[in-house]
Amino acid sequence: MMLRFGGADMKFPSIPDKTPFTPLVVMELAEDTNEEAVTWLTSRIKDTQQSGGAELMIDRLTLDDNQDPKKENQNIFIVGASRERLLVGAEDVGLVKEFNDGSMRGFTYANRENFKGFQGDGDNFLSMAECQFIVKHELDTLRARGETHVPGYPKIRLYPGKSVVRRIQSKGILVQIFPLHDKEELKRLSSMWYQNVQLSFQPLDDIRHYFGESLALYFGFLEYFTLAMVPMALIGMPYYLFDWEDYDKYVLFAVFNLVWSTVFLETWKRFSASLAYSWGTLSRKKAFEEPRPGFHGVLGINPVTGRQEPVYSSTKRQLRIYLVSVPFVLLCLYLSLCVMMVYFSAEGLVLGLHDEEPTFWTSLLLYVPSIIYAVVIEIMNRIYRYAAEFLTDWENHRLESSYQNHLTLKVLVFNFLNCFASLFYIAFMMQDMQLLRQSLATLLITSQILNQFVEAFLPFWLQKRRNKRVHRRSGKVSPDQELPFDQQVMLEADMSTYLGTFDDYLELFLLFGYVSLFSCVYPLAALLAVLNNVTEVYSDALKMCRVFKRPFSEPGADIGVWQLAFESMSVIAVVTNCALIGMSPQMKSYFPDSETQLILVVATVEHVFLAFKFILAFVIPDVPRHIQIKLARVEFESMEALKKKKLMEAAAIQNKEQ
């Protein structure tokens, strides 16, 4: 069956005849869901908007005769929408599209024919990812009307005006909701992206078309970061090969490092602004944030919307944060420092054994403590991540943005100390540059190997096993054979859920720290980071296309809070590199009798570099001028149109009065 949708021919497997619409989204309810609740939910989804429904199309997934109904969940539904409903929804979610005059404007259904690419009835105007995002938005904004509880579940209360889907999701009735993959489009993207190893830029526009802006911005940042590190890697290789023991030479490399980190982050902001403008997200207005599905509290009135919703005391939340979360984080930081001291004790023990009787085996033994410590760091980071998520959930934040900010802060503080505390201690307390190089190299290489195994190889291997099991069950011999539609849905329902770009950005953040903080001591760090990022591009692309469920498209104009995190790391890098410069024999030789003068000079140089950094950040505009002009022109035309509309309304009222 061939369907024309979203500007591409998308071939879906055999779809049951009773499903007369393009399947976009899958909703899986719990197996034991009360049938009364199922009937109520599907009717609400089908109801017209005037009646308070979502006005979408929904049908229960029909399993083929080869499947045992007792082993499969019968409460799986596929959801779609009519073309006109999707176009109206595009205006509701605030999609920005290219106008016929080349400017980017908010899409309006009434003015649809004036947008570039809109032909006929708009069959190819919206991408499939945009359609799925619209369907998800309409489901999320399906609100309770007069119901006091979910039918069949008298204990699950419904609050008038609040999201029905979010409520049943938080109570476990809705197991999962995800968009379907488009097999043909996915094959085309895979062949351009990761299947053929080639020296070329990533197809960011195609990634954005299939996965959405936020994910495309991550891959854009990954690519930009990798290219920006190439000069560092090229300069660092001669330092590593020819000046290994010459500490005086790393002063120039440290200075270059400081300039590089600032220029890289500032130029990235300009590049991301250009991408976001071309994708229509730079000028897109943020929608009003709904409460998180897990948010709970006593019934009250939202002062903004006037709707009934759970209300939770801000004082209680602050008490939970400062009396429980903060002490817990401090305790974890203390434990991390204790583990670090155990590592140094083991390092000293091994070094003593090697000094007593140096052999080939004792020389190999010197690397064992660093390797074990690197593995322990990764394990501690992952365990702490679960604890941080539990605590942030328990704090009961109302908005998803607030939840993400608190979680990010908790994770960044611990990961920074856990990963870099030992390096700071070696550099500034022990002042052992040889041990610093060895520890940095071991941490960098071990963490990269572990991340590739845990995040790429292991999930891919597990998914491959799932694929073989599903193909055997459906009678297909080769994994490349096309599955029946119902089997494809079941296969995707079993796939791992992509949890967002948080862990991916965190990995790049730590890598940026290794390069910017101490690469002047270990110049090969940038080269190792480049090699890691190249493999990261292919492994992440493989995961997105073959391992994970397709995530919903998320609009994004930048990398959000991570931009601030990277900029904060670059400020710390200024202090660190200036201190390393001050510790070099060359600098100490200038002040043989006065350590105070050396400290004052280093502090002065540090302040000069910080001033230079902030001046550079101020001088380089975040948004290119030609884009600023285009945005200002659209805003001016909108204001003029509003004035004209008000004048016409005033004239009409005056004519009526006469």
Side-chain angles (χ1 to χ4, degrees):
M1 178 177 180
M2 293 291 292
L3 293 165
R4 242 346 239 183
F5 202 88
D9 290 320
M10 298 189 288
K11 186 179 180 183
F12 286 91
S14 53
I15 302 175
D17 294 336
K18 62 180 285 190
T19 307
F21 58 86
T22 303
L24 295 171
V25 173
V26 174
M27 293 182 67
E28 181 180 359
L29 304 180
E31 291 186 39
D32 58 350
T33 302
N34 189 297
E35 193 60 33
E36 185 182 355
V38 173
T39 304
W40 164 76
L41 180 62
T42 53
S43 65
R44 288 298 315 275
I45 291 174
K46 291 177 182 178
D47 279 350
T48 62
Q49 286 183 293
Q50 290 80 2
S51 303
E55 205 169 332
L56 301 175
M57 301 174 178
I58 184 170
D59 216 337
R60 194 188 295 262
L61 179 68
T62 304
L63 303 178
D64 63 23
D65 298 332
N66 296 328
Q67 291 178 274
D68 185 358
K70 296 181 180 179
K71 294 183 179 180
E72 302 294 346
N73 188 355
Q74 300 296 303
N75 289 325
I76 298 179
F77 297 83
I78 51 175
V79 185
S82 66
R83 188 180 300 108
E84 184 178 3
R85 179 71 184 91
L86 291 170
L87 291 172
V88 172
E91 181 177 350
D92 293 339
V93 299
L95 283 187
V96 175
K97 291 286 189 177
E98 187 176 0
F99 211 60
N100 283 335
D101 62 2
S103 62
M104 304 298 293
R105 299 171 184 263
F107 176 78
T108 56
Y109 182 75
N111 208 21
R112 59 190 181 279
E113 295 181 357
N114 291 322
F115 284 85
K116 190 175 181 180
F118 192 97
Q119 297 175 351
D121 52 8
D123 193 21
N124 304 327
F125 185 66
L126 300 174
S127 69
M128 188 178 184
E130 289 172 334
C131 295
Q132 290 168 332
F133 174 73
I134 292 167
V135 170
K136 178 65 163 56
H137 174 267
E138 298 301 336
L139 289 173
D140 282 342
T141 53
L142 180 65
R143 304 187 185 283
R145 295 178 298 181
E147 307 97 333
T148 58
H149 62 272
V150 176
Y153 297 89
K155 293 184 178 180
I156 301 180
R157 296 184 59 186
L158 287 176
Y159 304 110
K162 300 311 299 176
S163 172
V164 169
V165 170
R166 287 173 179 264
R167 183 62 174 166
I168 62 174
Q169 187 176 5
S170 66
K171 293 300 180 180
I173 297 175
L174 176 61
V175 176
Q176 61 177 338
I177 177 171
F178 62 91
L180 281 167
H181 274 296
D182 170 11
K183 303 302 290 183
E184 293 300 319
E185 188 69 21
L186 191 60
K187 285 180 183 177
R188 282 195 289 269
L189 177 60
S190 299
S191 63
M192 289 187 294
W193 197 3
Y194 72 89
Q195 287 182 345
N196 300 318
V197 179
Q198 53 188 345
L199 290 175
S200 63
F201 294 108
Q202 295 179 92
L204 295 181
D205 287 330
D206 295 285
I207 297 170
R208 173 254 173 178
H209 189 270
Y210 193 84
F211 288 111
E213 292 81 14
S214 289
L215 200 61
L217 278 171
Y218 161 70
F219 281 102
F221 180 76
L222 174 59
E223 179 178 272
Y224 201 88
F225 182 29
T226 307
L227 292 174
M229 282 192 297
V230 170
M232 289 280 290
L234 294 177
I235 295 174
M237 287 176 65
Y239 272 88
Y240 177 79
L241 295 174
F242 304 116
D243 295 319
W244 179 251
E245 296 296 338
D246 191 351
Y247 299 132
D248 297 341
K249 300 294 183 181
Y250 67 54
V251 174
L252 291 176
F253 192 77
V255 173
F256 178 78
N257 192 343
L258 298 178
V259 177
W260 166 81
S261 62
T262 302
V263 173
F264 151 61
L265 291 172
E266 292 304 316
T267 54
W268 157 252
K269 282 195 286 190
R270 290 173 60 84
F271 179 68
S272 66
S274 299
L275 285 177
Y277 178 79
S278 65
W279 295 340
T281 55
L282 187 63
S283 57
R284 186 172 181 174
K285 295 180 180 178
K286 290 186 178 181
F288 180 77
E289 270 194 279
E290 292 286 338
R292 295 174 55 247
F295 176 68
H296 59 273
V298 297
L299 187 62
I301 302 295
N302 185 306
V304 178
T305 63
R307 301 183 186 129
Q308 283 186 316
E309 67 173 38
V311 175
Y312 189 76
S313 169
S314 176
T315 303
K316 289 183 179 179
R317 184 180 299 112
Q318 296 300 320
L319 288 174
R320 289 188 175 191
I321 292 173
Y322 291 109
L323 296 183
V324 179
S325 295
V326 171
F328 177 80
V329 172
L330 293 176
L331 175 63
C332 290
L333 296 178
Y334 173 74
L335 292 175
S336 175
L337 293 176
C338 291
V339 172
M340 182 189 74
M341 298 313 296
V342 172
Y343 155 66
F344 284 127
S345 299
E347 191 77 44
L349 181 62
V350 171
L351 190 60
L353 291 174
H354 180 69
D355 290 340
E356 286 180 7
E357 189 178 348
T359 63
F360 172 75
W361 297 109
T362 56
S363 62
L364 287 180
L365 195 62
L366 290 174
Y367 292 93
V368 172
S370 296
I371 294 173
I372 294 176
Y373 182 53
V375 174
V376 170
I377 283 177
E378 290 298 317
I379 294 173
M380 290 174 65
N381 284 344
R382 294 183 183 278
I383 293 175
Y384 176 82
R385 170 68 188 275
Y386 292 118
E389 287 180 347
F390 174 81
L391 272 180
T392 313
D393 274 328
W394 180 70
E395 290 166 6
N396 197 25
H397 295 278
R398 178 179 177 273
L399 301 179
E400 184 66 29
S401 58
S402 176
Y403 173 88
Q404 290 297 332
N405 288 339
H406 281 79
L407 176 62
T408 302
L409 182 61
K410 289 186 184 72
V411 173
L412 284 184
V413 168
F414 180 80
N415 277 256
F416 181 83
L417 185 77
N418 201 31
C419 293
F420 299 116
S422 61
L423 300 178
F424 279 104
Y425 187 85
I426 295 170
F428 302 116
M429 299 300 292
M430 300 174 64
Q431 298 188 12
D432 187 341
M433 296 303 156
Q434 186 175 355
L435 179 59
L436 179 61
R437 281 200 302 270
Q438 176 189 318
S439 299
L440 177 59
T442 306
L443 284 172
L444 191 57
I445 295 171
T446 306
S447 65
Q448 290 177 359
I449 293 173
L450 287 175
N451 282 329
Q452 291 296 336
F453 177 79
V454 174
E455 295 181 6
F457 175 77
L458 188 60
F460 178 72
W461 178 72
L462 292 173
Q463 186 56 42
K464 201 170 182 179
R465 291 187 62 187
R466 292 192 199 106
N467 291 354
K468 287 182 179 179
R469 187 167 62 248
V470 172
H471 278 81
R472 280 199 305 268
R473 188 170 57 190
S474 62
K476 303 292 182 181
V477 180
S478 170
D480 295 327
Q481 285 184 285
E482 189 176 278
L483 290 169
F485 176 71
D486 59 323
Q487 287 287 335
Q488 182 62 37
V489 172
M490 299 301 291
L491 174 63
E492 292 186 31
D494 268 347
M495 285 181 169
S496 302
T497 301
Y498 181 62
L499 299 177
T501 55
F502 185 95
D503 289 324
D504 299 314
Y505 278 121
L506 178 61
E507 185 179 344
L508 295 183
F509 171 78
L510 296 176
L511 197 62
F512 179 70
Y514 287 127
V515 173
S516 61
L517 294 176
F518 300 105
S519 64
C520 62
V521 178
Y522 184 61
L524 210 60
L527 178 62
L528 293 175
V530 169
L531 295 176
N532 174 80
N533 283 9
V534 170
T535 58
E536 190 78 18
V537 168
Y538 287 98
S539 63
D540 284 354
L542 178 67
K543 287 189 301 183
M544 296 309 305
C545 296
R546 298 285 299 276
V547 176
F548 291 123
K549 295 183 184 76
R550 184 178 186 174
F552 280 103
S553 169
E554 288 186 18
D558 49 41
I559 61 175
V561 69
W562 291 103
Q563 181 74 35
L564 178 60
F566 278 87
E567 289 175 353
S568 300
M569 180 69 82
S570 70
V571 172
I572 298 172
V574 171
V575 179
T576 303
N577 281 275
C578 287
L580 289 172
I581 291 172
M583 290 169 54
S584 67
Q586 186 180 29
M587 284 296 294
K588 288 181 178 180
S589 66
Y590 293 139
F591 306 94
D593 302 322
S594 178
E595 188 176 341
T596 304
Q597 288 184 353
L598 175 60
I599 295 173
L600 289 174
V601 169
V602 171
T604 302
V605 171
E606 171 207 315
H607 282 66
V608 169
F609 273 119
L610 286 174
F612 171 75
K613 177 181 176 61
F614 292 125
I615 290 171
L616 198 62
F618 177 77
V619 169
I620 300 176
D622 293 348
V623 180
R625 180 165 175 75
H626 69 280
I627 294 180
Q628 292 181 12
I629 293 173
K630 289 180 179 179
L631 293 174
R633 184 183 296 128
V634 171
E635 185 177 356
F636 172 75
E637 290 175 359
S638 299
M639 290 175 63
E640 290 297 308
L642 184 61
K643 288 180 183 177
K644 185 176 180 180
K645 182 181 178 182
K646 288 182 177 179
L647 288 173
M648 292 177 64
E649 289 176 351
I653 293 172
Q654 188 175 6
N655 290 334
K656 283 183 179 180
E657 291 177 351
Q658 291 177 352

